[in-house]
Amino acid sequence: MKLQQLSYLVHVARNDFNVSATARRLDTSQPGISKQIAALESDLGIPLLQRQGRQIVGLTPAGRDILPRVERLLIEAENITTIAADHGGNRIGSLAIATTHTQARYTLPDVVERFRERYPTVSFHMKLGSPLQIAEMAISREVDLVIATESPHFFQGMMMMPCYRWARALIVPRDHELASYTQLGIRELARYPIVTYSFGFSPDSPLNLAFAAAGLEPTLALTATDADVIKTYVRRGLGVGIIASMAYEPDRDEDLAQIDCSNLFAMSTTYIGCVRAAEMRDFGYEFIRWFAPHLTRDRVQAFRDAATDRDREKILSELELPRR
């Protein structure tokens, strides 16, 4: 039984048992993966994958029991390499994060620049996506860290730590009838088609909850993952935009008026997270601290080592989150 064989098993399961897709993703051959998994099954003396003819359709009962343990074993194997690298003073490595466009565009540039200056021999990778895509990248270990807001149900089983709170703003062209408003009511807002984030009206989002509480059904003109795309279509008159207030730039968006929405929608929290069982390089802890200064290495490790959800909640209750 070899680590590579176990890794192939996990990757095949994560790719919906499509060996061809797994081979493309791992830049290897389909026969090679099939051969290694067959050798693993031979060593164990039991089938792990359920087959119909030449097609893999799922896991056998044994495979379902074994897969979670294989995933933990592979994480621990990576942890050994991580710990050894830091103890050996190895400053070469990589850090990959997955996040949304808003975070990448408006909150991360200073942190990434600082990271590159401090760790020039560490390659830095940033992947953008929706909350669901971000969660999938973390769970499949494509990235080391995720930075996300909303849709916490996508991140079950991950260690998500709060970084800061943020409010929403309404944006309209300067000649729009709402441009002179400083605030408005939810019923007045509901009269206009809305352009907002793709996750903006997920079941647990502040937007959805606010409109539902008022018994209103908003008209969604367009949704996008990118704040700049939302601005573009607001400028073209498709509707009024709802974005993170941090995404409004007075110098670049002088043709748009911004209206505070803190009276309408509860503030949201941005989290940084990782797979709980995965160790992190020293520079990973540094990146977290630069992004969220209250998340020191000791606090992150205490959060990871907390035995119960109540213990983790106690740690969170002691944090004072900044507002952006």
Side-chain angles (χ1 to χ4, degrees):
M1 183 169 57
K2 300 177 182 178
L3 285 178
Q4 186 185 54
Q5 296 170 339
L6 298 173
S7 177
Y8 283 162
L9 175 67
V10 170
H11 280 288
V12 167
R14 288 174 179 167
N15 282 280
D16 296 323
F17 306 101
N18 187 322
V19 180
S20 297
T22 303
R24 288 193 299 271
R25 194 160 194 169
L26 298 179
D27 194 25
T28 188
S29 69
Q30 177 180 345
I33 292 177
S34 299
K35 181 179 179 180
Q36 290 296 326
I37 292 179
L40 173 63
E41 292 175 316
S42 177
D43 288 344
L44 295 176
I46 53 172
L48 301 175
L49 297 176
Q50 185 178 351
R51 297 170 175 86
Q52 289 182 355
R54 298 175 62 88
Q55 185 177 4
I56 298 172
V57 296
L59 293 166
T60 64
R64 286 194 295 272
D65 286 342
I66 287 173
L67 185 66
R69 292 166 172 80
V70 172
E71 291 174 325
R72 291 197 294 271
L73 188 153
L74 292 175
I75 289 174
E76 286 300 329
E78 291 181 15
N79 290 344
I80 292 170
T81 302
T82 297
I83 294 169
D86 282 336
H87 278 281
N90 182 356
R91 295 174 66 86
I92 298 175
S94 67
L95 182 68
I97 70 167
T99 189
T100 63
H101 171 271
T102 296
Q103 302 298 327
R105 172 74 175 78
Y106 299 103
T107 68
L108 281 170
D110 289 345
V111 178
V112 173
E113 183 178 1
R114 183 177 183 181
F115 184 88
R116 294 297 307 134
E117 291 175 352
R118 179 72 175 83
Y119 297 103
T121 58
V122 175
S123 58
F124 186 86
H125 309 277
M126 184 185 299
K127 300 186 177 184
L128 305 184
S130 67
L132 176 59
Q133 291 168 330
I134 291 168
E136 289 175 343
M137 283 186 265
I139 293 169
S140 65
R141 303 305 309 281
E142 292 180 44
V143 296
D144 305 294
L145 296 171
V146 296
I147 299 174
T149 306
E150 312 290 6
S151 304
H153 54 282
F154 290 146
F155 299 92
Q156 295 299 319
M158 294 182 61
M159 185 172 75
M160 302 297 289
M161 299 165 287
C163 300
Y164 64 86
R165 303 179 72 210
W166 57 271
R168 289 167 175 77
L170 184 72
I171 54 170
V172 295
R174 287 286 178 186
D175 59 357
H176 193 277
E177 59 186 338
L178 296 179
S180 61
Y181 283 57
T182 55
Q183 284 188 339
L184 71 161
I186 191 75
R187 292 188 178 280
E188 192 163 21
L189 176 59
R191 292 168 40 206
Y192 300 90
I194 293 172
V195 183
T196 192
Y197 298 113
S198 299
F199 58 80
F201 281 91
S202 58
D204 55 353
S205 76
L207 272 70
N208 191 59
L209 295 175
F211 280 103
L216 299 172
E217 187 72 31
T219 300
L220 274 179
L222 181 144
T223 63
T225 58
D226 185 326
D228 290 337
V229 171
I230 294 171
K231 294 177 190 178
T232 295
Y233 287 96
V234 168
R235 289 182 171 106
R236 287 181 171 266
L238 265 71
V240 299
I242 301 177
I243 62 173
S245 57
M246 73 185 84
Y248 178 81
E249 300 174 286
D251 293 341
R252 298 185 60 183
D253 300 326
E254 57 184 12
D255 60 326
L256 298 174
Q258 176 186 221
I259 303 163
D260 178 31
C261 286
S262 59
N263 64 313
L264 300 180
F265 309 119
M267 296 188 71
S268 291
T269 302
T270 289
Y271 296 85
I272 192 165
C274 61
V275 174
R276 187 181 302 278
E279 282 292 339
M280 208 166 355
R281 294 287 302 272
D282 290 342
F283 51 72
Y285 286 108
E286 281 284 88
F287 182 90
I288 293 174
R289 184 173 63 84
W290 288 336
F291 184 70
H294 57 279
L295 295 177
T296 61
R297 180 172 187 152
D298 287 345
R299 185 164 277 155
V300 171
Q301 291 178 330
F303 190 82
R304 170 182 283 136
D305 296 338
T308 65
D309 288 339
R310 179 174 294 181
D311 293 334
R312 284 185 280 274
E313 287 297 326
K314 183 177 185 301
I315 295 172
L316 296 182
S317 68
E318 298 170 352
L319 303 179
E320 288 191 19
L321 299 184
R323 174 174 173 169
R324 293 187 182 178

